[in-house]
Amino acid sequence: MNHPIEQFQHWWQQAKADPTLKQRSAVCISTLDAQGFPVGRFVDLKAADQNGFTFCTHLNSQKGADLRRNPKVAMTAWWDSLGYQVRVAGLAAEISRADANRYWQSRNRDAQLTTLACQQSQPLASMQSIKDELTTLGTHYQEQAIPLPDNWGGFIIRPLSIEFLTFAQSRLHLREFYQYEQGVWHKTLLQP
Ligand SMILES: Cc1cc2nc3c(=O)[nH]c(=O)nc-3n(C[C@H](O)[C@H](O)[C@H](O)COP(=O)(O)O)c2cc1C
């Protein structure tokens, strides 16, 4: 395959169809903090298409603040049973509120309530106070749709490079590296 987005979709489809994998959409997102240190964490990949790679999060979280300060980002996936690793580097942009709302509506109610009750990445004073807040919110929104909060949304990573690694026991991995230059993807093979 000579188009990296199509290759990613093909690999992700294989991962999604693999019953031995528990986490089929978990990808590590690495941002740069205010001191320039890389910070990685897993998120749930929502979409991968010609526009880029989309995930959702609290916008005021550490990753949200990092990406608003510096859109340079890396995304790494590893599908153990398939022996596939993917590394993406690119620039992140916030998705539209309409798209965020579409993803918000697809979340279960408990996840929505937890988002409302938490300020992700802030120090936790008491888990009990969050549980109390969840109970209050649960009563408040009983039988009502929970609207998209302002501080929740998503980012799309517009890729500048993508590397696909096919793992080999001999360590003679296949590494296919794509770089986006002037609107065209260029492919190079890298030594393992
Ligand atoms: C498998 C897995 C999936 C996760 N998915 C998400 C996600 O989609 N969005 C999110 O904000 N956090 C997700 N988390 C939690 C993040 O890893 C992280 O703890 C949280 O977003 C706070 O990160 P930050 O403080 O660096 O912003 C997930 C964690 C795991 C282990």
Side-chain angles (χ1 to χ4, degrees):
M1 221 168 274
N2 272 324
H3 197 289
I5 302 294
E6 283 171 19
Q7 181 158 351
F8 186 93
Q9 289 170 332
H10 181 59
W11 279 18
W12 194 21
Q13 277 311 321
Q14 288 181 55
K16 285 185 191 171
D18 187 337
T20 66
L21 278 176
K22 260 176 93 177
Q23 291 294 339
R24 297 153 187 192
S25 302
V27 292
C28 179
I29 298 293
S30 301
T31 55
L32 295 169
D33 73 11
Q35 284 75 43
F37 282 97
V39 189
R41 79 289 280 159
F42 285 93
V43 300
D44 194 34
L45 183 64
K46 299 285 188 212
D49 55 35
Q50 300 303 329
N51 299 316
F53 303 91
T54 302
F55 66 92
C56 290
T57 190
H58 292 242
L59 297 172
N60 297 332
S61 62
Q62 164 151 15
K63 73 184 92 47
D66 286 351
L67 291 174
R68 283 170 161 177
R69 190 187 326 101
N70 183 347
K72 288 183 180 168
V73 64
M75 182 185 99
T76 315
W78 164 242
W79 290 298
D80 182 42
S81 58
L82 302 170
Y84 292 160
Q85 172 183 263
V86 185
R87 302 201 299 188
V88 175
L91 297 174
E94 222 175 290
I95 62 172
S96 69
R97 297 311 288 159
D99 284 346
N101 191 46
R102 200 161 44 80
Y103 290 119
W104 177 256
Q105 300 305 335
S106 73
R107 304 184 85 205
N108 68 49
R109 205 173 164 80
D110 284 346
Q112 291 180 335
L113 288 172
T114 302
T115 299
L116 292 194
C118 293
Q119 289 196 295
Q120 193 179 59
S121 316
Q122 293 304 309
L124 174 70
S126 140
M127 187 61 97
Q128 191 54 49
S129 67
I130 290 192
K131 288 182 178 166
D132 294 345
E133 180 65 6
L134 278 173
T135 308
T136 308
L137 287 165
T139 311
H140 180 80
Y141 285 109
Q142 217 170 16
E143 322 248 330
Q144 268 184 62
I146 303 170
L148 170 70
D150 290 343
N151 65 352
W152 193 91
F155 289 91
I156 181 161
I157 299 171
R158 305 219 161 87
L160 295 170
S161 70
I162 308 183
E163 184 201 317
F164 297 89
L165 180 148
T166 305
F167 186 84
Q169 285 299 342
S170 64
R171 305 301 187 263
L172 210 54
H173 315 307
L174 172 64
R175 296 181 63 192
E176 299 164 285
F177 182 64
Y178 293 84
Q179 267 179 308
Y180 195 61
E181 279 161 4
Q182 290 161 0
V184 183
W185 285 103
H186 296 279
K187 181 176 177 178
T188 322
L189 296 179
L190 301 178
Q191 296 191 28

